[in-house]
Amino acid sequence: MVAKSRSKSRAFTLIEVLTVIAIIGILSSVVLVSMSGSQKKGRDGRRISDIGQIQLALSLYYDVNNSYPPNTSSLATNFISAVPQDPSGGSYYYSQGGGSYVLGASLEASNAALPGNAGTSCVSGQYAYCVRP
């Protein structure tokens, strides 16, 4: 009886290829899920920074005019180069009266370390960030 010689092939089997594809798919989905939370926190950080800029412009306006403006678009002429807009395309809440104002933004995520009066109901939404003078 003659022994058959087998040539050793160095190719991957179908099972090995499918396993690698499944692992890559699982890892990419985990990365995408974790990045969506980071994007929300990033947009919230931008909102808080924008509120701080508007708050500074309101203080400058008050120093010059001895009152707060009726709306934030009045700040764009001399007190701030451009009034910031919400990263999601909306606008920030502003109300003035009685020598005071309320300035707020609706946040996407909860953050216990927020400055100001976080969680008050100046804006609609699950999480809010509101400041007063």
Side-chain angles (χ1 to χ4, degrees):
M1 195 141 106
V2 177
K4 293 182 182 178
S5 67
R6 291 186 176 180
S7 64
K8 292 197 174 194
S9 175
R10 300 191 78 184
F12 293 109
T13 65
L14 181 61
I15 298 296
E16 291 171 331
V17 172
L18 290 175
T19 303
V20 169
I21 290 172
I23 291 171
I24 290 172
I26 290 169
L27 291 175
S28 64
S29 66
V30 167
V31 168
L32 287 175
V33 167
S34 68
M35 285 188 59
S36 70
S38 297
Q39 290 174 341
K40 286 180 182 180
K41 288 181 181 178
R43 286 189 297 266
D44 284 349
R46 167 117 184 257
R47 288 179 181 103
I48 293 168
S49 174
D50 288 350
I51 294 293
Q53 290 177 6
I54 296 170
Q55 198 173 15
L56 179 61
L58 286 169
S59 296
L60 294 171
Y61 186 97
Y62 187 84
D63 287 343
V64 171
N65 299 306
N66 238 8
S67 66
Y68 291 109
N71 53 45
T72 56
S73 61
S74 305
L75 300 171
T77 54
N78 297 322
F79 304 100
I80 194 168
S81 59
V83 177
Q85 297 297 315
D86 187 85
S88 298
S91 60
Y92 298 116
Y93 174 79
Y94 172 73
S95 175
Q96 63 86 26
S100 185
Y101 66 85
V102 177
L103 184 60
S106 182
L107 303 179
E108 296 178 59
S110 175
N111 186 344
L114 287 175
N117 300 321
T120 59
S121 59
C122 69
V123 292
S124 62
Q126 187 173 3
Y127 306 111
Y129 175 67
C130 305
V131 294
R132 294 170 178 81

